[in-house]
mmCIF file of all heavy atoms in Angstrom:
data_model
loop_
_atom_site.group_PDB
_atom_site.id
_atom_site.type_symbol
_atom_site.label_atom_id
_atom_site.label_comp_id
_atom_site.label_asym_id
_atom_site.label_seq_id
_atom_site.Cartn_x
_atom_site.Cartn_y
_atom_site.Cartn_z
ATOM 1 N N TRP A 123 14.547 7.730 8.779
ATOM 2 C CA TRP A 123 15.262 7.333 7.548
ATOM 3 C C TRP A 123 16.758 7.625 7.585
ATOM 4 O O TRP A 123 17.419 7.528 6.561
ATOM 5 C CB TRP A 123 14.658 8.064 6.339
ATOM 6 C CG TRP A 123 13.276 7.632 5.976
ATOM 7 C CD1 TRP A 123 12.905 6.368 5.574
ATOM 8 C CD2 TRP A 123 12.084 8.418 5.943
ATOM 9 N NE1 TRP A 123 11.559 6.342 5.313
ATOM 10 C CE2 TRP A 123 11.024 7.590 5.519
ATOM 11 C CE3 TRP A 123 11.799 9.761 6.220
ATOM 12 C CZ2 TRP A 123 9.713 8.036 5.379
ATOM 13 C CZ3 TRP A 123 10.491 10.204 6.083
ATOM 14 C CH2 TRP A 123 9.465 9.358 5.667
ATOM 15 N N GLY A 124 17.304 8.058 8.732
ATOM 16 C CA GLY A 124 18.696 8.511 8.705
ATOM 17 C C GLY A 124 19.548 7.991 9.845
ATOM 18 O O GLY A 124 19.438 6.826 10.241
ATOM 19 N N GLU A 125 20.357 8.875 10.370
ATOM 20 C CA GLU A 125 21.370 8.509 11.362
ATOM 21 C C GLU A 125 20.785 7.981 12.672
ATOM 22 O O GLU A 125 21.457 7.272 13.404
ATOM 23 C CB GLU A 125 22.253 9.733 11.663
ATOM 24 C CG GLU A 125 23.280 10.029 10.593
ATOM 25 C CD GLU A 125 24.421 9.009 10.618
ATOM 26 O OE1 GLU A 125 24.523 8.243 11.578
ATOM 27 O OE2 GLU A 125 25.201 9.001 9.660
ATOM 28 N N ALA A 126 19.567 8.366 13.000
ATOM 29 C CA ALA A 126 19.003 7.952 14.285
ATOM 30 C C ALA A 126 18.011 6.800 14.146
ATOM 31 O O ALA A 126 17.311 6.467 15.092
ATOM 32 C CB ALA A 126 18.346 9.142 14.987
ATOM 33 N N SER A 127 17.979 6.176 12.951
ATOM 34 C CA SER A 127 17.037 5.056 12.823
ATOM 35 C C SER A 127 17.523 3.929 13.722
ATOM 36 O O SER A 127 18.714 3.725 13.897
ATOM 37 C CB SER A 127 16.916 4.598 11.369
ATOM 38 O OG SER A 127 18.097 3.993 10.959
ATOM 39 N N GLN A 128 16.603 3.238 14.338
ATOM 40 C CA GLN A 128 16.898 2.169 15.297
ATOM 41 C C GLN A 128 17.374 2.700 16.655
ATOM 42 O O GLN A 128 17.642 1.911 17.548
ATOM 43 C CB GLN A 128 17.964 1.173 14.795
ATOM 44 C CG GLN A 128 17.834 0.733 13.360
ATOM 45 C CD GLN A 128 16.613 -0.144 13.142
ATOM 46 O OE1 GLN A 128 16.222 -0.889 14.041
ATOM 47 N NE2 GLN A 128 15.990 -0.035 11.984
ATOM 48 N N LEU A 129 17.531 4.008 16.811
ATOM 49 C CA LEU A 129 18.016 4.513 18.098
ATOM 50 C C LEU A 129 16.853 4.991 18.965
ATOM 51 O O LEU A 129 15.906 5.580 18.465
ATOM 52 C CB LEU A 129 18.990 5.681 17.901
ATOM 53 C CG LEU A 129 20.296 5.370 17.169
ATOM 54 C CD1 LEU A 129 21.193 6.613 17.184
ATOM 55 C CD2 LEU A 129 21.023 4.192 17.808
ATOM 56 N N LYS A 130 16.959 4.732 20.258
ATOM 57 C CA LYS A 130 15.944 5.231 21.182
ATOM 58 C C LYS A 130 16.263 6.653 21.635
ATOM 59 O O LYS A 130 15.375 7.430 21.948
ATOM 60 C CB LYS A 130 15.844 4.312 22.398
ATOM 61 C CG LYS A 130 14.995 3.053 22.156
ATOM 62 C CD LYS A 130 15.136 2.049 23.271
ATOM 63 C CE LYS A 130 14.740 2.624 24.607
ATOM 64 N NZ LYS A 130 15.052 1.692 25.721
ATOM 65 N N ASN A 131 17.565 6.967 21.673
ATOM 66 C CA ASN A 131 17.997 8.275 22.184
ATOM 67 C C ASN A 131 18.960 8.940 21.215
ATOM 68 O O ASN A 131 19.953 8.327 20.826
ATOM 69 C CB ASN A 131 18.727 8.115 23.516
ATOM 70 C CG ASN A 131 17.847 7.522 24.595
ATOM 71 O OD1 ASN A 131 16.681 7.856 24.696
ATOM 72 N ND2 ASN A 131 18.401 6.634 25.385
ATOM 73 N N ALA A 132 18.668 10.157 20.833
ATOM 74 C CA ALA A 132 19.575 10.893 19.963
ATOM 75 C C ALA A 132 19.348 12.389 20.137
ATOM 76 O O ALA A 132 18.282 12.813 20.595
ATOM 77 C CB ALA A 132 19.347 10.505 18.504
ATOM 78 N N ALA A 133 20.359 13.169 19.791
ATOM 79 C CA ALA A 133 20.246 14.627 19.831
ATOM 80 C C ALA A 133 20.519 15.185 18.455
ATOM 81 O O ALA A 133 21.305 14.622 17.688
ATOM 82 C CB ALA A 133 21.240 15.209 20.836
ATOM 83 N N TYR A 134 19.850 16.272 18.105
ATOM 84 C CA TYR A 134 20.055 16.950 16.829
ATOM 85 C C TYR A 134 20.335 18.411 17.120
ATOM 86 O O TYR A 134 19.590 19.072 17.835
ATOM 87 C CB TYR A 134 18.802 16.825 15.962
ATOM 88 C CG TYR A 134 19.028 17.241 14.524
ATOM 89 C CD1 TYR A 134 19.172 16.279 13.533
ATOM 90 C CD2 TYR A 134 19.092 18.569 14.150
ATOM 91 C CE1 TYR A 134 19.379 16.627 12.210
ATOM 92 C CE2 TYR A 134 19.311 18.936 12.829
ATOM 93 C CZ TYR A 134 19.441 17.961 11.858
ATOM 94 O OH TYR A 134 19.649 18.308 10.552
ATOM 95 N N LEU A 135 21.444 18.886 16.587
ATOM 96 C CA LEU A 135 21.831 20.275 16.775
ATOM 97 C C LEU A 135 21.914 20.891 15.397
ATOM 98 O O LEU A 135 22.501 20.302 14.487
ATOM 99 C CB LEU A 135 23.200 20.287 17.456
ATOM 100 C CG LEU A 135 23.677 21.519 18.215
ATOM 101 C CD1 LEU A 135 22.737 21.857 19.368
ATOM 102 C CD2 LEU A 135 25.084 21.261 18.770
ATOM 103 N N THR A 136 21.308 22.051 15.201
ATOM 104 C CA THR A 136 21.422 22.704 13.904
ATOM 105 C C THR A 136 22.101 24.053 14.071
ATOM 106 O O THR A 136 21.733 24.850 14.931
ATOM 107 C CB THR A 136 20.044 22.831 13.207
ATOM 108 O OG1 THR A 136 20.230 23.429 11.940
ATOM 109 C CG2 THR A 136 19.064 23.658 14.005
ATOM 110 N N VAL A 137 23.136 24.261 13.284
ATOM 111 C CA VAL A 137 23.938 25.464 13.403
ATOM 112 C C VAL A 137 23.801 26.263 12.113
ATOM 113 O O VAL A 137 24.414 25.944 11.093
ATOM 114 C CB VAL A 137 25.425 25.116 13.655
ATOM 115 C CG1 VAL A 137 26.205 26.382 13.997
ATOM 116 C CG2 VAL A 137 25.563 24.078 14.757
ATOM 117 N N GLY A 138 22.907 27.240 12.157
ATOM 118 C CA GLY A 138 22.701 28.104 10.998
ATOM 119 C C GLY A 138 22.833 29.540 11.457
ATOM 120 O O GLY A 138 23.697 29.835 12.276
ATOM 121 N N THR A 139 21.961 30.427 10.961
ATOM 122 C CA THR A 139 21.956 31.810 11.446
ATOM 123 C C THR A 139 21.843 31.808 12.965
ATOM 124 O O THR A 139 22.535 32.523 13.662
ATOM 125 C CB THR A 139 20.759 32.578 10.838
ATOM 126 O OG1 THR A 139 20.759 32.340 9.436
ATOM 127 C CG2 THR A 139 20.877 34.058 11.123
ATOM 128 N N GLY A 140 20.954 30.942 13.484
ATOM 129 C CA GLY A 140 20.857 30.700 14.920
ATOM 130 C C GLY A 140 21.270 29.264 15.209
ATOM 131 O O GLY A 140 21.709 28.555 14.310
ATOM 132 N N ILE A 141 21.113 28.843 16.461
ATOM 133 C CA ILE A 141 21.394 27.446 16.808
ATOM 134 C C ILE A 141 20.177 26.872 17.513
ATOM 135 O O ILE A 141 19.635 27.494 18.425
ATOM 136 C CB ILE A 141 22.634 27.323 17.717
ATOM 137 C CG1 ILE A 141 23.881 27.815 16.962
ATOM 138 C CG2 ILE A 141 22.830 25.883 18.191
ATOM 139 C CD1 ILE A 141 25.180 27.679 17.733
ATOM 140 N N GLY A 142 19.729 25.719 17.059
ATOM 141 C CA GLY A 142 18.593 25.070 17.700
ATOM 142 C C GLY A 142 18.905 23.605 17.899
ATOM 143 O O GLY A 142 19.941 23.111 17.456
ATOM 144 N N GLY A 143 17.980 22.893 18.542
ATOM 145 C CA GLY A 143 18.237 21.475 18.753
ATOM 146 C C GLY A 143 17.008 20.736 19.188
ATOM 147 O O GLY A 143 16.009 21.336 19.603
ATOM 148 N N GLY A 144 17.054 19.423 19.057
ATOM 149 C CA GLY A 144 15.961 18.573 19.494
ATOM 150 C C GLY A 144 16.517 17.308 20.121
ATOM 151 O O GLY A 144 17.665 16.941 19.898
ATOM 152 N N LEU A 145 15.677 16.651 20.926
ATOM 153 C CA LEU A 145 16.096 15.418 21.598
ATOM 154 C C LEU A 145 15.075 14.318 21.382
ATOM 155 O O LEU A 145 13.868 14.553 21.481
ATOM 156 C CB LEU A 145 16.227 15.658 23.107
ATOM 157 C CG LEU A 145 17.273 16.655 23.594
ATOM 158 C CD1 LEU A 145 17.108 16.857 25.093
ATOM 159 C CD2 LEU A 145 18.671 16.173 23.258
ATOM 160 N N LEU A 146 15.578 13.142 21.079
ATOM 161 C CA LEU A 146 14.750 11.945 21.015
ATOM 162 C C LEU A 146 15.118 11.104 22.225
ATOM 163 O O LEU A 146 16.280 10.741 22.401
ATOM 164 C CB LEU A 146 15.083 11.174 19.737
ATOM 165 C CG LEU A 146 14.242 9.956 19.401
ATOM 166 C CD1 LEU A 146 12.914 10.392 18.793
ATOM 167 C CD2 LEU A 146 14.987 9.040 18.421
ATOM 168 N N MET A 147 14.147 10.820 23.089
ATOM 169 C CA MET A 147 14.426 10.065 24.304
ATOM 170 C C MET A 147 13.399 8.956 24.440
ATOM 171 O O MET A 147 12.197 9.215 24.309
ATOM 172 C CB MET A 147 14.313 10.983 25.532
ATOM 173 C CG MET A 147 15.404 12.035 25.631
ATOM 174 S SD MET A 147 16.994 11.298 26.099
ATOM 175 C CE MET A 147 18.027 11.802 24.710
ATOM 176 N N ASN A 148 13.857 7.753 24.705
ATOM 177 C CA ASN A 148 12.945 6.620 24.784
ATOM 178 C C ASN A 148 12.049 6.566 23.546
ATOM 179 O O ASN A 148 10.867 6.266 23.622
ATOM 180 C CB ASN A 148 12.086 6.686 26.060
ATOM 181 C CG ASN A 148 12.931 6.544 27.321
ATOM 182 O OD1 ASN A 148 13.913 5.804 27.337
ATOM 183 N ND2 ASN A 148 12.565 7.250 28.364
ATOM 184 N N GLY A 149 12.626 6.876 22.403
ATOM 185 C CA GLY A 149 11.908 6.766 21.141
ATOM 186 C C GLY A 149 10.946 7.897 20.822
ATOM 187 O O GLY A 149 10.267 7.861 19.808
ATOM 188 N N LYS A 150 10.876 8.900 21.701
ATOM 189 C CA LYS A 150 9.938 10.011 21.462
ATOM 190 C C LYS A 150 10.650 11.348 21.524
ATOM 191 O O LYS A 150 11.601 11.518 22.284
ATOM 192 C CB LYS A 150 8.843 10.016 22.537
ATOM 193 C CG LYS A 150 7.842 8.910 22.405
ATOM 194 C CD LYS A 150 6.763 9.099 23.456
ATOM 195 C CE LYS A 150 5.684 8.048 23.316
ATOM 196 N NZ LYS A 150 4.689 8.169 24.389
ATOM 197 N N LEU A 151 10.141 12.315 20.759
ATOM 198 C CA LEU A 151 10.666 13.669 20.861
ATOM 199 C C LEU A 151 10.325 14.241 22.228
ATOM 200 O O LEU A 151 9.273 13.945 22.794
ATOM 201 C CB LEU A 151 10.046 14.561 19.778
ATOM 202 C CG LEU A 151 10.447 14.235 18.346
ATOM 203 C CD1 LEU A 151 9.636 15.087 17.385
ATOM 204 C CD2 LEU A 151 11.932 14.464 18.131
ATOM 205 N N ILE A 152 11.238 15.049 22.742
ATOM 206 C CA ILE A 152 11.021 15.671 24.050
ATOM 207 C C ILE A 152 10.261 16.988 23.904
ATOM 208 O O ILE A 152 10.680 17.876 23.174
ATOM 209 C CB ILE A 152 12.377 15.958 24.722
ATOM 210 C CG1 ILE A 152 13.069 14.648 25.096
ATOM 211 C CG2 ILE A 152 12.205 16.842 25.952
ATOM 212 C CD1 ILE A 152 12.306 13.778 26.027
ATOM 213 N N HIS A 153 9.140 17.070 24.589
ATOM 214 C CA HIS A 153 8.465 18.357 24.772
ATOM 215 C C HIS A 153 8.240 18.533 26.266
ATOM 216 O O HIS A 153 7.464 17.795 26.855
ATOM 217 C CB HIS A 153 7.108 18.395 24.063
ATOM 218 C CG HIS A 153 7.205 18.234 22.586
ATOM 219 N ND1 HIS A 153 6.799 17.107 21.938
ATOM 220 C CD2 HIS A 153 7.680 19.052 21.637
ATOM 221 C CE1 HIS A 153 7.000 17.252 20.634
ATOM 222 N NE2 HIS A 153 7.543 18.415 20.421
ATOM 223 N N GLY A 154 8.938 19.450 26.875
ATOM 224 C CA GLY A 154 8.763 19.674 28.308
ATOM 225 C C GLY A 154 7.873 20.875 28.486
ATOM 226 O O GLY A 154 6.794 20.956 27.926
ATOM 227 N N ILE A 155 8.304 21.835 29.312
ATOM 228 C CA ILE A 155 7.711 23.161 29.213
ATOM 229 C C ILE A 155 8.309 23.680 27.934
ATOM 230 O O ILE A 155 9.513 23.797 27.822
ATOM 231 C CB ILE A 155 8.197 24.106 30.325
ATOM 232 C CG1 ILE A 155 7.845 23.582 31.695
ATOM 233 C CG2 ILE A 155 7.558 25.479 30.115
ATOM 234 C CD1 ILE A 155 8.087 24.634 32.788
ATOM 235 N N GLY A 156 7.508 23.973 26.955
ATOM 236 C CA GLY A 156 8.069 24.430 25.684
ATOM 237 C C GLY A 156 8.860 23.316 25.046
ATOM 238 O O GLY A 156 8.474 22.159 25.106
ATOM 239 N N HIS A 157 9.973 23.653 24.442
ATOM 240 C CA HIS A 157 10.785 22.659 23.749
ATOM 241 C C HIS A 157 12.247 22.985 24.010
ATOM 242 O O HIS A 157 12.567 24.079 24.471
ATOM 243 C CB HIS A 157 10.469 22.680 22.250
ATOM 244 C CG HIS A 157 10.383 24.054 21.665
ATOM 245 N ND1 HIS A 157 11.504 24.791 21.358
ATOM 246 C CD2 HIS A 157 9.326 24.856 21.383
ATOM 247 C CE1 HIS A 157 11.122 25.969 20.878
ATOM 248 N NE2 HIS A 157 9.812 26.053 20.881
ATOM 249 N N PRO A 158 13.147 22.024 23.709
ATOM 250 C CA PRO A 158 14.560 22.315 23.972
ATOM 251 C C PRO A 158 15.008 23.585 23.247
ATOM 252 O O PRO A 158 14.561 23.882 22.143
ATOM 253 C CB PRO A 158 15.278 21.085 23.410
ATOM 254 C CG PRO A 158 14.280 19.978 23.513
ATOM 255 C CD PRO A 158 12.959 20.638 23.227
ATOM 256 N N GLU A 159 15.867 24.314 23.894
ATOM 257 C CA GLU A 159 16.414 25.559 23.354
ATOM 258 C C GLU A 159 17.928 25.433 23.426
ATOM 259 O O GLU A 159 18.612 26.242 24.048
ATOM 260 C CB GLU A 159 15.955 26.740 24.233
ATOM 261 C CG GLU A 159 14.471 26.904 24.348
ATOM 262 C CD GLU A 159 13.906 27.804 23.257
ATOM 263 O OE1 GLU A 159 14.677 28.295 22.421
ATOM 264 O OE2 GLU A 159 12.683 27.987 23.252
ATOM 265 N N LEU A 160 18.422 24.384 22.765
ATOM 266 C CA LEU A 160 19.838 24.047 22.922
ATOM 267 C C LEU A 160 20.766 25.211 22.595
ATOM 268 O O LEU A 160 21.860 25.303 23.134
ATOM 269 C CB LEU A 160 20.207 22.844 22.041
ATOM 270 C CG LEU A 160 19.441 21.536 22.300
ATOM 271 C CD1 LEU A 160 20.092 20.391 21.528
ATOM 272 C CD2 LEU A 160 19.411 21.198 23.771
ATOM 273 N N GLY A 161 20.320 26.097 21.710
ATOM 274 C CA GLY A 161 21.162 27.221 21.313
ATOM 275 C C GLY A 161 21.481 28.159 22.461
ATOM 276 O O GLY A 161 22.474 28.886 22.409
ATOM 277 N N HIS A 162 20.649 28.118 23.500
ATOM 278 C CA HIS A 162 20.855 29.095 24.567
ATOM 279 C C HIS A 162 21.552 28.507 25.782
ATOM 280 O O HIS A 162 21.571 29.119 26.840
ATOM 281 C CB HIS A 162 19.524 29.761 24.929
ATOM 282 C CG HIS A 162 18.974 30.569 23.790
ATOM 283 N ND1 HIS A 162 19.366 31.859 23.546
ATOM 284 C CD2 HIS A 162 18.134 30.237 22.779
ATOM 285 C CE1 HIS A 162 18.764 32.312 22.458
ATOM 286 N NE2 HIS A 162 18.008 31.336 21.969
ATOM 287 N N MET A 163 22.129 27.294 25.639
ATOM 288 C CA MET A 163 22.881 26.775 26.782
ATOM 289 C C MET A 163 24.141 27.622 27.002
ATOM 290 O O MET A 163 24.595 28.339 26.127
ATOM 291 C CB MET A 163 23.222 25.292 26.605
ATOM 292 C CG MET A 163 24.352 24.996 25.645
ATOM 293 S SD MET A 163 24.853 23.229 25.727
ATOM 294 C CE MET A 163 23.771 22.491 24.518
#
Side-chain angles (χ1 to χ4, degrees):
Chain A
W123 291 298
E125 283 287 348
S127 69
Q128 317 291 328
L129 296 185
K130 279 169 58 188
N131 298 320
Y134 192 103
L135 201 60
T136 182
V137 189
T139 311
I141 296 183
L145 297 173
L146 186 79
M147 291 287 122
N148 295 324
K150 288 184 177 176
L151 292 173
I152 292 301
H153 298 109
I155 300 191
H157 45 78
E159 301 270 0
L160 301 190
H162 295 276
M163 76 171 89

